Amino acid sequence: MKKGFLLGLLALMFAVLVACTANEDAGKAKDEDSGNGEDAAQAEEKVLLMNNGEEPTSLNPPEGFDNMSYNVLNNLMEGMTRLGQDDEPEAAMAEDWDVSDDQKTYTFHIRDDANWSNGDPVTAGDFEFAWKQLLDPETGSPAAFLGYVFEGGEEFNSGDADADDVQITAKDDKTLEVTLKEPTGYFLNIITNPAFFPVNEKIAQDNEKWYSDADSFVANGPFKMETWEHDKKIVMVRNDQYWDKDTVKLDKVDWAMVPETKTEYQMFQSDELDMTEIPSALADQLIDGDDVVIDDQAGLYFYRFNVEKEPFQNKKIRKAFAMAVNQNDIVDYVTKNKEEAAHAFVSPGFKDPSGTDFREANGDLVEFDPDKAKELLKEGMEEEGYDELPDVTLTYNTDEDHKAIAETLQNMFSDNLGVDVTLKNTEWNVFLEDQKALKHQLSRSSFLFDYGDPINFLEGFITDSTMNRTGWSNEKYDELIKQAKSEKDEQKRWEKMEDAEKLLADEMPFFPIHYYNQVYIYKDNISGIVRHPVGYLELKWADKK
């Protein structure tokens, strides 16, 4: 008996140490039993245990432009429209809207029962305030380019106009009128993005950091924030002020912040999480399991060159590095999550007016060819007068999967180019700020589509775009994107976008690794979670039985 007791005790201690080392108290559905008898009703609460991976960058809608922020923000808040279970935009804060004959002016009518979690009504002024904050150059929003769809939006963001020049106007408390620069068929899709969520103007004017803590945060979505232990966990509870609260089945969502997939999986096994990604080391064993759910996701995992740092100012050297990468080997032997190797930039799933997929129409544009890569490297070094290639450092944000891909690239560059590359990792927030400031030389990156159109990705690489982060600039590319955004003939618009992608492949300011999918293992009692292809996690319809 003693031996069995000791073995059991050691196993228990090990499980506790694993969870505590990863993230103290992460994933706990409720406090330890204190013997006070609280209470059968609490035990019956529907508490979903999730992992967000990292602390959100920001929960201010114009600022939190990444999936760590979106995961939480999309369930705390809601825009004029919201993606439905069919991934199409549907009425949300706006119960309906009118569109002018020229398809440029939208008049939104906010529902009477649209309220903030503190009881304040959601007003058209809250939307005008938030959308102009998105475009305000002082905000410095990485998502500001999405607001260029509005007449005067780009001019305001670039400092050439005032906020009053942006055609976003609250006509009264429940009516918002906006005028677009050009007719935009996917506009209702664009504004489902969290960057277009409203901000309670009265609260924000009293406290400009209202979004930084649970005590001051106000929500208008399916959930509201109960607690926020920074870098540890966020707890959301059902929002009793939400207009569609009867649809929401969960009582609470407990978000852990555990960056390592291996630890996340261990927590899933010990019932501290209700779902998990699959660690790469276990993919062969788990990927074909009956409890695995694989959803499409529009996006690209890629690496950015900084063309302002040697040796990547040279196009041939950039292309040499790109062509030294075997994307098929990475998805087959490293990530092993059934992703599709990327041999171009825009992910599959976008259909042109004829029904042809963009990816099929434009074909493969980036090929693995080590012999050609060596030839291009030699030519590029000769053009720059290099006897030796300058040192190259590849930077990635801390994560075991990013590390595995980085190490694979390091080996490929060594084997296929004879180049030794140094690896460096930093935590997410530091990594992101350094990438935006063009401090990296070669760095890991990703893009998840914000709405369902290829232009969303392609416009991110025009000159001075906040999403560019490469230092690359090309007048012809800028013009192609400008033409695509103003072209009224849909088939011609798609042809412009195809030409733009081909130019990217010729210039190679970045190179692709794989297109995204979403692979998760769920507990048997979890249902109704929607993971939209554009990357928004949706818990409005989720249930736990």
Side-chain angles (χ1 to χ4, degrees), residues 165-186:
D165 297 317
V166 183
Q167 298 303 298
I168 302 170
T169 306
K171 308 299 287 187
D172 57 46
D173 282 349
K174 292 294 184 178
T175 308
L176 184 76
E177 182 180 277
V178 302
T179 300
L180 309 184
K181 187 180 299 184
E182 302 286 347
T184 306
Y186 46 89

Side-chain angles (χ1 to χ4, degrees), residues 122-403:
V122 175
T123 69
D126 293 334
F127 276 95
E128 179 179 353
F129 177 80
W131 291 4
K132 288 184 176 179
Q133 184 186 47
L134 169 69
L135 289 162
D136 191 329
E138 292 189 8
T139 303
S141 171
F145 69 95
L146 295 174
Y148 291 178
V149 67
F150 298 116
E151 184 69 47
E154 183 173 5
E155 291 78 6
F156 176 42
N157 186 244
S158 62
D160 296 328
D162 297 324
D164 291 342
D165 297 317
V166 183
Q167 298 303 298
I168 302 170
T169 306
K171 308 299 287 187
D172 57 46
D173 282 349
K174 292 294 184 178
T175 308
L176 184 76
E177 182 180 277
V178 302
T179 300
L180 309 184
K181 187 180 299 184
E182 302 286 347
T184 306
Y186 46 89
F187 174 63
L188 295 176
N189 205 313
I190 293 176
I191 59 173
T192 65
N193 187 282
F196 292 94
F197 289 164
V199 171
N200 187 315
E201 182 176 9
K202 181 174 64 175
I203 294 293
Q205 288 179 340
D206 289 341
N207 176 12
E208 64 179 15
K209 295 295 183 180
W210 65 271
Y211 51 85
S212 298
D213 290 291
D215 290 343
S216 55
F217 193 93
V218 286
N220 73 318
F223 298 90
K224 61 184 178 181
M225 193 183 299
E226 183 177 69
T227 60
W228 186 355
E229 298 177 50
H230 289 280
D231 296 306
K232 290 185 177 181
K233 69 176 180 178
I234 288 175
V235 177
M236 305 187 312
V237 296
R238 189 187 325 193
N239 183 3
D240 58 1
Q241 295 290 323
Y242 182 51
W243 70 272
D244 198 19
K245 61 181 181 294
D246 292 342
T247 297
V248 182
K249 301 177 179 69
L250 297 173
D251 295 300
K252 185 178 294 187
V253 182
D254 192 332
W255 297 88
M257 298 180 194
V258 178
E260 300 299 331
T261 307
K262 181 179 179 181
T263 306
E264 178 184 271
Y265 180 68
Q266 291 170 337
M267 294 173 68
F268 174 79
Q269 288 184 302
S270 60
D271 294 329
E272 294 173 275
L273 292 174
D274 288 320
M275 66 200 70
T276 181
E277 294 184 74
I278 297 177
S280 297
L282 298 177
D284 290 336
Q285 304 171 39
L286 301 176
I287 191 68
D288 293 319
D290 293 338
D291 53 356
V292 174
V293 177
I294 302 178
D295 294 321
D296 293 332
Q297 186 168 29
L300 180 72
Y301 189 108
F302 63 102
Y303 266 79
R304 301 178 194 258
F305 295 111
N306 183 347
V307 305
E308 295 182 1
K309 289 185 180 290
E310 293 188 282
F312 298 125
Q313 79 284 1
N314 186 279
K315 179 172 77 171
K316 289 182 177 177
I317 294 176
R318 296 196 300 268
K319 294 180 80 169
F321 272 71
M323 296 177 75
V325 174
N326 188 331
Q327 288 90 346
N328 290 336
D329 278 358
I330 291 175
V331 299
D332 289 342
Y333 304 116
V334 182
T335 60
K336 296 182 284 189
N337 264 10
K338 295 192 174 182
E339 303 98 339
E340 180 178 345
H343 297 287
F345 308 115
V346 174
S347 53
F350 300 104
K351 301 294 179 66
D352 70 13
S354 70
T356 303
D357 193 285
F358 184 97
R359 188 69 281 121
E360 180 184 346
N362 232 24
D364 290 346
L365 300 176
V366 184
E367 59 180 324
F368 169 57
D369 189 338
D371 292 334
K372 181 66 173 177
K374 290 176 183 175
E375 180 182 327
L376 285 171
L377 179 63
K378 181 180 178 181
E379 291 176 4
M381 290 178 65
E382 289 174 352
E383 288 179 358
E384 300 298 332
Y386 293 148
D387 293 325
E388 294 184 3
L389 195 71
D391 292 341
V392 174
T393 298
L394 180 157
T395 307
Y396 62 94
N397 59 295
T398 304
D399 177 272
E400 61 190 35
D401 295 329
H402 299 331
K403 179 182 179 182

Side-chain angles (χ1 to χ4, degrees), residues 8-80:
L9 181 60
L10 286 171
L12 177 62
M13 290 174 64
F14 175 75
V16 171
L17 283 171
V18 166
C20 290
T21 300
N23 187 7
E24 184 179 355
D25 292 332
K28 290 186 178 179
K30 56 182 183 292
D31 293 336
E32 301 280 343
D33 185 1
S34 60
N36 60 8
E38 280 184 55
D39 138 271
Q42 184 180 23
E44 293 172 2
E45 274 191 329
K46 293 184 177 183
V47 182
L48 186 67
L49 306 177
M50 300 193 64
N51 179 31
N52 197 48
E54 302 268 1
E55 172 89 350
T57 305
S58 174
L59 292 184
N60 187 24
E63 295 176 353
F65 196 55
D66 53 69
N67 62 331
M68 276 74 70
S69 304
Y70 277 4
N71 283 343
V72 177
L73 197 54
N74 192 54
N75 293 288
L76 289 170
M77 302 190 78
E78 183 168 274
M80 288 292 192

